[in-house]
Amino acid sequence: MEEFLGACQDWYPDACIPKWAGWYEETEGEPPVVIQPEELALAAQAQIKIPNPQVEQNPKLENTANTTLVNVDTGFWVTDPASVGGEDGVHEIRATIPETGVWVEIRAETDGLQIASQAGSTTCTPAEAVTAWSPGSDPACSVQFNRASTHLPGGYPVTVSSAWNTSWRGGVGDTETDSGTLDPITTETTLNIPVAEVQTLVTD
């Protein structure tokens, strides 16, 4: 038997369940199982898989893995656009319980890509972060490192991250009944980037 609940239950003393909030199947010796939209939202958030940002860069000095130069615009872009939610910076997921029509939609939004080091930092929009450098163009997302990393054999530790605000809305059938916010999400990667001085040859 399916029935919508509309009263405080002895087996659920901490909450009064509104009529739209859940359903139960009558069984002997077991209390009804109630799923509320907020509970479904928490479960759905765990299914959002946002990859940690991995980046490419330009320039890279010849015969090095990723050495760049002091006070030169070093361009960065993500290798997987999903790590910043594409150009719009958004991830969305929808979860439903078919038997009851209860549904939620989760929306995660980011302002973009943060690149941070002790020698230079920046924040780039999602659209900038997904734009790869191409010859003859200025980098859409760039950092100028203001000093060489000669005192750090492996180069400067550079943290590349995205911070996500998450919200949800939910209801039953065609009717939205509730909404709220969820814990923020942060994804990040740390890499080492050597920074070399520019060598200038002066001749008479």
Side-chain angles (χ1 to χ4, degrees):
M1 171 183 173
E2 292 185 0
E3 180 178 336
F4 289 99
L5 306 178
C8 300
Q9 306 297 313
D10 292 338
W11 53 269
Y12 201 160
D14 294 330
C16 296
I17 311 303
K19 285 188 176 182
W20 54 265
W23 72 287
Y24 72 85
E25 182 176 345
E26 191 173 46
T27 57
E28 292 185 5
E30 294 184 5
V33 176
V34 176
I35 300 295
Q36 299 188 68
E38 185 171 5
E39 295 173 307
L40 185 57
L42 290 171
Q45 185 191 28
Q47 301 305 311
I48 296 180
K49 306 300 182 185
I50 303 175
N52 290 327
Q54 307 289 335
V55 294
E56 264 293 352
Q57 73 174 75
N58 185 80
K60 296 179 182 179
L61 293 189
E62 190 175 1
N63 299 322
T64 71
N66 62 339
T67 300
T68 188
L69 295 169
V70 171
N71 294 328
V72 170
D73 285 336
T74 300
F76 292 93
W77 61 95
V78 294
T79 57
D80 183 355
S83 64
V84 292
E87 291 187 355
D88 297 328
V90 173
H91 278 282
E92 291 182 319
I93 190 171
R94 181 182 175 96
T96 62
I97 301 177
E99 295 87 348
T100 64
V102 175
W103 59 270
V104 295
E105 291 179 349
I106 310 296
R107 182 180 177 90
E109 298 179 83
T110 181
D111 290 334
L113 189 71
Q114 292 79 45
I115 302 173
S117 78
Q118 58 186 283
S121 302
T122 193
T123 298
C124 302
T125 67
E128 292 169 336
V130 301
T131 302
W133 174 83
S134 59
S137 65
D138 293 329
C141 176
S142 66
V143 176
Q144 282 196 8
F145 296 98
N146 57 24
R147 57 189 182 277
S149 62
T150 51
H151 59 298
L152 296 171
Y156 287 115
V158 177
T159 300
V160 183
S161 64
S162 289
W164 300 80
N165 294 317
T166 58
S167 59
W168 69 276
R169 65 189 190 97
V172 176
D174 296 330
T175 303
E176 180 179 335
T177 59
D178 207 352
S179 62
T181 59
L182 297 167
D183 290 340
I185 299 170
T186 299
T187 57
E188 67 177 37
T189 301
T190 299
L191 63 156
N192 291 330
I193 298 181
V195 180
E197 294 279 6
V198 177
Q199 301 297 321
T200 302
L201 178 64
V202 178
T203 59
D204 294 330

